[in-house]
């Protein structure tokens, strides 16, 4: 059973960058789809990005497209989310989750406590 742990969050000024890591307990089989999502206080969980490991295809929400990049470290059990051009609207707890079906799966499962990203001046 895969276990995922998020890290890399922190406090950053508007316009800044952060790189989040989603580290798996073991090698992530290529039939998995790994997604990043976030939740801010008073808001429902929002899908941010997803990578289909089998072919490397990616998707992004409209709010982050062009600013965030999802990738997999082929040498390690890690999926990254490179975040740039951050705005206060990006402030949230960020989680990663796994699906065995597709990036459109409404039932991604996440592991760990998430990592807090705060964008503020």
């Amino acid at each position: 059973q895969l276990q995922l742990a998020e890290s890399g969050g922190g406090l950053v000024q508007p316009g800044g960058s952060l790189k989040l890591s989603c580290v798996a307990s073991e090698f992530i089989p290529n039939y998995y789809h790994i997604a990043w999502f976030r939740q801010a206080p008073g808001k429902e969980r929002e899908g941010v990005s997803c990578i289909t490991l089998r072919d490397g295809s990616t998707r992004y929400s409209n709010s982050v497209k062009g600013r965030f990049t999802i990738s997999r470290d082929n040498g390690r059990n890690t999926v990254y989310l490179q975040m740039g051009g951050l705005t206060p609207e990006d402030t949230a707890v960020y989680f990663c989750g796994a699906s065995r079906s597709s990036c459109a799966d409404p039932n991604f499962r996440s592991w760990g406590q998430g990592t807090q990203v705060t964008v503020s001046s």
Side-chain angles (χ1 to χ4, degrees):
Q1 179 67 41
L2 279 178
Q3 293 179 296
L4 305 178
E6 307 89 347
S7 64
L11 175 64
V12 64
Q13 294 187 8
S17 299
L18 284 173
K19 188 174 184 178
L20 307 184
S21 297
C22 176
V23 181
S25 58
E26 58 190 80
F27 180 81
I28 309 175
N30 65 0
Y31 56 77
Y32 270 102
H33 311 258
I34 306 296
W36 284 97
F37 47 96
R38 63 190 181 185
Q39 187 165 27
K43 299 181 180 179
E44 67 180 18
R45 190 171 63 184
E46 173 191 15
V48 175
S49 185
C50 184
I51 184 168
T52 297
L53 298 182
R54 186 174 298 277
D55 61 10
S57 62
T58 60
R59 74 173 193 178
Y60 301 90
S61 67
N62 290 334
S63 62
V64 308
K65 190 174 184 179
R67 299 189 296 121
F68 293 7
T69 302
I70 189 170
S71 63
R72 178 185 181 177
D73 182 346
N74 293 127
R76 300 178 185 272
N77 306 331
T78 307
V79 172
Y80 301 101
L81 185 68
Q82 178 66 54
M83 311 165 66
L86 289 166
T87 76
E89 299 302 317
D90 296 314
T91 296
V93 178
Y94 284 71
F95 301 88
C96 58
S99 171
R100 296 181 180 180
S101 59
S102 77
C103 280
D105 189 348
N107 297 311
F108 273 82
R109 296 184 178 183
S110 60
W111 291 261
Q113 297 296 111
T115 185
Q116 175 72 48
V117 173
T118 302
V119 185
S120 176
S121 60

